[in-house]
């Protein structure tokens, strides 16, 4: 891949990954309001509020991508041009750098990103703690099922997205290998976006009826 192509690929990868994670965080808030504060849903999550939150998610993803792309490609790369990965990834580009100070600067940006990701994760967890508490207070089992029925698709996507990313970047060095790294990168970069439409559409009655007829 060319140098500009690699930079463009890294930018788009960070942009779409960050935006999806921020949108998943917004969706957790949406479910919290719908279940815990249903009478205020129209006020708290009107069309304008939803547009603002979506714009904030995409805008944050864009700024995040610009920051990392500019910082990563300001590194002086002097150790060849071969990446041990099927796409341009920040840790792999680090391995080509020959500047200790620039490396530490980008490492600082990664720590900042990790704190942001952790903050979103804590927000999602706290939202679902409140959701579970509200659902358990519903007296009828049918009411509990109806209230919680919108949550499993979101939980499935969040769990797959976060668990695969965490394992890919925080796995012990003792179990690291080129084949495993490629497989994990494929898992967190390709699988979640690919299964998103399927997971969310499984609540669609027409689709479920079509799958039953097909099976």
């Amino acid at each position: 891949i060319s140098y500009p192509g690699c930079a463009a690929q890294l930018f788009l990868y960070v942009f779409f990954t960050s935006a999806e994670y921020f949108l998943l965080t917004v969706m957790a808030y949406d479910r919290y309001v719908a279940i815990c504060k249903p009478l205020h849903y129209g006020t708290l999550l009107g069309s304008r509020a939803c547009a603002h939150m979506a714009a904030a998610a995409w805008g944050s993803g864009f700024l995040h991508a610009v920051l990392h792309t500019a910082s990563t490609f300001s590194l002086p790369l002097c150790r060849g041009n071969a990446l041990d990965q099927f796409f341009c990834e920040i840790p792999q580009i680090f391995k080509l750098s020959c500047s200790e100070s620039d490396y530490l600067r980008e490492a600082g940006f990664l720590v900042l990103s990790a704190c942001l990701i952790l903050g979103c994760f804590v927000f999602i967890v706290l939202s679902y703690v409140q959701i579970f508490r509200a659902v358990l207070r519903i007296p009828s089992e049918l009411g509990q099922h109806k209230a919680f029925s919108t949550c499993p698709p979101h939980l499935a996507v969040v769990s797959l997205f976060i668990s695969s990313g965490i394992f890919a970047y925080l796995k012990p060095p003792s179990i690291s290998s080129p084949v495993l790294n490629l497989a994990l990168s494929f898992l967190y970069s390709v699988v979640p976006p690919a299964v998103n439409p399927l997971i969310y559409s499984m609540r669609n009655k027409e689709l479920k009826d079509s799958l039953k007829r097909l099976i």
Side-chain angles (χ1 to χ4, degrees), residues 8 26 71 76 93 100 106 112 131 136 148 154 167 169 180 201 213:
V26 170
S71 178
I93 297 174
E100 187 72 22
E106 175 58 18
L112 181 63
I131 289 171
L136 292 175
F148 192 68
H154 179 254
F167 187 71
Y169 285 105
L180 179 62
S201 61
R213 288 195 299 269

Side-chain angles (χ1 to χ4, degrees), residues 149 152-154 156 195-212 215:
S149 61
H154 179 254
V195 301
N196 270 353
L198 178 63
I199 291 175
Y200 288 121
S201 61
M202 285 309 294
R203 295 187 64 251
N204 183 285
K205 187 176 184 300
E206 289 78 10
L207 178 65
K208 288 192 287 188
D209 291 342
S210 299
L211 285 175
K212 288 178 183 177
I215 294 173

Side-chain angles (χ1 to χ4, degrees), residues 9 41 49 67 106 123 128 141 159:
Q9 189 181 71
Y41 187 86
L67 175 71
E106 175 58 18
F123 181 86
Y128 272 100
E141 186 175 338
S159 300

Side-chain angles (χ1 to χ4, degrees), residues 99-145:
S99 173
E100 187 72 22
S101 59
D102 290 334
Y103 178 90
L104 292 176
R105 181 188 62 189
E106 175 58 18
F109 284 139
L110 287 177
V111 171
L112 181 63
S113 298
C115 293
L116 182 62
I117 292 170
L118 181 61
C120 291
F121 177 73
V122 170
F123 181 86
I124 293 172
V125 170
L126 291 178
S127 297
Y128 272 100
V129 168
Q130 295 299 319
I131 289 171
F132 288 140
R133 291 177 61 185
V135 169
L136 292 175
R137 286 198 296 265
I138 299 175
S140 69
E141 186 175 338
L142 180 61
Q144 291 180 354
H145 175 74

